[in-house]
Amino acid sequence: MEVIDAILLGIIQGLTEFLPVSSSGHLELGKAILGDNSIPKESLLFTVVLHFATALSTIVVFRKDILSLLKGIFKFRWNEDLQFVSKIAVSMIPAVIVGLFFEEQLEAFFGGNILFVGCMLIVTAILLFLADKAKDTQKKVSFSNAFIIGISQAIAMLPGISRSGATISTSVLLGNDKTKAARFSFLMVVPLIFGKIAKDVLGGKLTYDASNFTSLSIGFIAAFIAGLFACTWMIALVKKSKLSYFAFYCVIVGAIAIGFSLFNN
């Protein structure tokens, strides 16, 4: 992979990880446009590296929240911080099940199936349209809500379904406050990404070639910097309840992807 390609894909990942437009879907579209012919395992390694970069950017942006949660946990009381962390653990259950038992089937969707990505972007748009109509409240995410949001996160492992879009939309449609929904959405993915990386490394799933070090490093840095910007920006946008703008974007990109796939077959 060329350095310029790694930079572009890193920026795409960093921006779209937090914006509700599907980072995985955009990565697949980007690789298709740039002519990435990597075998699935190599392509998956690059995707994992970029997700790791955006997970780190999440930690930086929410460093105060995370530090507060850690302090609350070590008080060894059933306080609000420990409850929040427990809800994140509950939300991880569906994705962990999918990752353990359906990993091979899931990886098959990351082979440049542009038609599928386009259709899933349309689904994301519908979710965003529905969420934008929901009334804003002060309600916090409950344990039952956390599990349902976790199901949305598991489904969003498919390229084209926005993880942040699906989880925030689900949370808002359940009647939760939009700002609290965004905070929960961004924090719930961090342990999942680190867990996924640990599993792949220990299980020998990731194939590394020293010749790819430069592109992986450049992509990582680009995704991290773009992620810092996008995460901060997205928090402000969610407060203003402008999810419909992203819905229109997903419809346009999804339609282009579907048209591109149909006319190139």
Side-chain angles (χ1 to χ4, degrees):
M1 182 181 293
E2 298 294 332
V3 172
I4 186 62
D5 293 349
I7 293 175
L8 290 175
L9 291 175
I11 292 174
I12 290 173
Q13 164 64 22
L15 292 177
T16 58
E17 174 64 28
F18 302 101
L19 303 181
V21 294
S22 179
S23 60
S24 59
H26 277 72
L27 278 176
E28 290 301 300
L29 294 176
K31 286 185 284 189
I33 293 173
L34 294 173
D36 177 29
N37 295 315
S38 301
I39 62 174
K41 287 188 177 180
E42 291 175 337
S43 180
L44 180 61
L45 172 63
F46 190 73
T47 299
V48 168
V49 167
L50 298 190
H51 276 87
F52 179 63
T54 48
L56 288 182
S57 66
T58 304
I59 292 175
V60 171
V61 173
F62 287 97
R63 59 189 180 280
K64 293 182 179 179
D65 297 72
I66 294 174
L67 182 60
S68 176
L69 290 172
L70 290 175
K71 289 180 178 179
I73 291 174
F74 287 106
K75 289 180 180 179
F76 301 105
R77 299 175 182 173
W78 189 240
N79 53 31
E80 187 174 343
D81 293 321
L82 183 55
Q83 290 178 41
F84 186 86
V85 173
S86 299
K87 291 171 186 176
I88 288 181
V90 169
S91 74
M92 293 171 57
I93 295 174
V96 170
I97 292 174
V98 171
L100 289 176
F101 299 103
F102 302 99
E103 186 173 21
E104 291 185 4
Q105 292 87 337
L106 184 63
E107 289 179 6
F109 289 100
F110 289 84
N113 190 339
I114 305 305
L115 178 61
F116 181 81
V117 171
C119 292
M120 293 302 99
L121 281 170
I122 300 298
V123 173
T124 295
I126 294 173
L127 286 173
L128 295 175
F129 274 126
L130 292 174
D132 210 42
K133 301 296 182 181
K135 295 181 179 180
D136 201 7
T137 68
Q138 295 299 313
K139 179 183 174 183
K140 297 180 181 179
V141 177
S142 66
F143 278 94
S144 59
N145 287 168
F147 185 76
I148 296 173
I149 296 169
I151 293 175
S152 293
Q153 178 168 252
I155 296 173
M157 294 170 76
L158 295 171
I161 297 290
S162 166
R163 194 205 64 82
S164 62
T167 54
I168 292 175
S169 295
T170 300
S171 184
V172 170
L173 290 172
L174 289 171
N176 296 304
D177 176 77
K178 291 182 179 179
T179 302
K180 292 182 176 67
R183 176 173 177 263
F184 188 80
S185 172
F186 293 151
L187 290 175
M188 69 187 283
V189 74
V190 175
L192 199 63
I193 290 178
F194 286 127
K196 166 65 175 173
I197 293 174
K199 178 177 178 295
D200 288 340
V201 171
L202 295 175
K205 293 288 293 182
L206 301 182
T207 302
Y208 173 72
D209 186 337
S211 62
N212 294 326
F213 177 78
T214 300
S215 60
L216 288 172
S217 299
I218 294 297
F220 176 90
I221 294 172
F224 177 75
I225 295 174
L228 290 176
F229 167 77
C231 185
T232 304
W233 185 36
M234 183 59 184
I235 295 171
L237 289 175
V238 170
K239 291 180 180 179
K240 297 178 181 179
S241 302
K242 300 298 182 183
L243 294 177
S244 60
Y245 293 163
F246 297 106
F248 285 118
Y249 173 82
C250 287
V251 168
I252 294 172
V253 176
I256 293 174
I258 292 172
F260 178 83
S261 176
L262 294 177
F263 286 107
N264 281 273
N265 287 333

